Amino acid sequence: MSENRTVKINRSENLFVGVEEACREAKAAMTAEDQEWWQHEMTARMIRFAGYMTAGMPVDAPEVQAELDIHYTSICRFWTPNAVAYKGLGQSYLEDPRFRLTCDRIADGLAAYQRDAMAVYADAWLR
């Protein structure tokens, strides 16, 4: 780089600035029934992921990736992540103790499996 300029390097915790507010706004717009449906669907999706994982299905299997397409579409109700942000979300499922505990309560190792599957999806379909 021949120019002398300052470049800000984002850390992973900066990738989601503003996302929490958008999620709160979207959730506030949901009825109690919508919120209950959302929680049910998220739980059912994690159980399906756990089934794929325990069956030894690779994260790039068509069934796993089809489930990720549903996951990505549901996330877009709140926020539309690009490839880097979606991978970051997957990483947060593993690194944030709240997310990891939620995933791993269903099946030990699920957070890492979902993170890896999300990275495959992001590389294949997102920019």
Side-chain angles (χ1 to χ4, degrees):
M1 186 182 282
S2 60
E3 297 177 29
N4 186 13
R5 64 180 196 173
T6 303
V7 176
K8 180 180 178 189
I9 299 173
N10 264 325
R11 295 176 292 167
S12 59
E13 61 268 22
N14 294 336
L15 290 176
F16 302 105
V17 171
V19 171
E20 288 181 12
E21 183 177 330
C23 289
R24 274 193 300 275
E25 290 172 2
K27 187 174 179 182
M30 295 171 83
T31 65
E33 293 81 20
D34 288 341
Q35 288 181 30
E36 185 176 332
W37 176 85
W38 170 260
Q39 289 175 347
H40 174 77
E41 284 301 306
M42 291 300 289
T43 302
R45 188 169 305 115
M46 289 192 303
I47 291 168
R48 288 190 296 270
F49 274 124
Y52 297 141
M53 180 185 76
T54 59
M57 195 170 289
V59 296
D60 62 350
E63 298 89 343
V64 175
Q65 291 300 300
E67 195 68 46
L68 259 298
D69 192 51
I70 296 166
H71 177 263
Y72 181 78
T73 301
S74 70
I75 293 296
C76 289
R77 179 175 185 171
F78 303 99
W79 160 63
T80 305
N82 62 20
V84 171
Y86 193 62
K87 287 180 185 180
L89 178 62
Q91 188 65 33
S92 74
Y93 288 170
L94 185 64
E95 291 180 355
D96 184 311
R98 297 167 298 174
F99 288 136
R100 184 177 188 147
L101 180 61
T102 299
C103 291
D104 288 351
R105 276 185 186 152
I106 292 175
D108 190 41
L110 182 59
Y113 183 82
Q114 188 165 344
R115 182 233 16 227
D116 294 347
M118 289 171 73
V120 169
Y121 182 88
D123 287 341
W125 298 103
L126 306 177
R127 297 261 180 245

